[in-house]
Amino acid sequence: MAQINLDKTDLKILQVLQKNGRLTNVELSERVALSPSPCLRRLKQLEDAGIIRQYAALLSPTSVKLGLQAFIRVSIDKAVEARDDFSAAVQSWPEVLSCFALTGETDYLLHAFFTDMNAFSHFVLDTLLSHPGVQDAKSSFVLKEIKNTTALPLGHLQQD
């Protein structure tokens, strides 16, 4: 991956795309006050550098019948093999959208979606707790979503 220095125009491109990744190059170029060719060239550089890692459609969980959202704190055996095995296994669990290795009392935090409590119970009992190395799991359910964004803050990159 190439390393690039981001200027104000690059940051504007990133901010606009974080709000709407489906813009055409012409629409994007208009919003960032750049002609289409240089805009496309900059966009390609941002992609090649790995700054833009992918484009995705963000689905409404309830619209696809995934109304139960949970955060699951997982404690595992401290052996390196257990961590490696768990990290590999979690990649195959479609219910888990995110998995984070943490400091503190909990080893991992999973963010997962389920159709209902039965699906959650099945996942925890038959998949998660059945995995070798998993010692404990504690769950919290989302009652209300206050903020959910995929846009990263970029203000710290702006040069005065």
Side-chain angles (χ1 to χ4, degrees):
M1 283 186 207
Q3 195 69 13
I4 64 172
N5 292 321
L6 302 175
D7 63 16
K8 288 181 183 180
T9 304
D10 293 322
L11 292 174
K12 183 68 175 165
I13 289 170
L14 294 173
Q15 289 168 337
V16 169
L17 284 177
Q18 285 191 109
K19 290 179 183 166
N20 185 351
R22 286 192 58 159
L23 293 174
T24 66
N25 183 56
V26 171
E27 292 168 326
L28 179 61
S29 68
E30 289 170 357
R31 293 194 187 175
V32 299
L34 199 61
S35 60
S37 285
C39 184
L40 188 59
R41 186 171 51 252
R42 283 176 179 259
L43 184 59
K44 179 81 170 113
Q45 287 174 336
L46 293 168
E47 292 168 350
D48 290 346
I51 294 168
I52 297 174
R53 64 180 183 185
Q54 75 181 55
Y55 297 91
L58 302 176
L59 308 181
S60 165
T62 55
S63 296
V64 292
K65 297 181 169 104
L66 293 170
L68 184 62
Q69 185 175 176
F71 288 91
I72 308 167
R73 296 170 303 284
V74 180
S75 297
I76 64 165
D77 185 318
K78 303 304 180 208
V80 172
E81 302 83 34
R83 289 194 312 264
D84 291 344
D85 290 346
F86 182 81
S87 295
V90 78
Q91 300 296 326
S92 68
W93 299 338
E95 303 87 348
V96 177
L97 274 66
S98 303
C99 175
F100 304 96
L102 303 176
T103 61
E105 296 176 18
T106 300
D107 297 311
Y108 294 93
L109 178 66
L110 308 180
H111 181 206
F113 284 84
F114 304 92
T115 55
D116 54 27
M117 188 56 77
N118 286 337
F120 169 78
S121 294
H122 174 70
F123 172 78
V124 170
L125 296 173
D126 300 338
T127 302
L128 184 61
L129 292 177
S130 295
H131 189 275
V134 172
Q135 295 178 330
D136 191 29
K138 295 181 175 144
S139 304
S140 296
F141 299 102
V142 173
L143 298 175
K144 181 179 180 183
E145 197 169 270
I146 307 301
K147 180 179 180 180
N148 183 354
T149 183
T150 59
L152 294 174
L154 301 176
H156 65 285
L157 296 174
Q158 293 180 349
Q159 301 166 359
D160 295 325

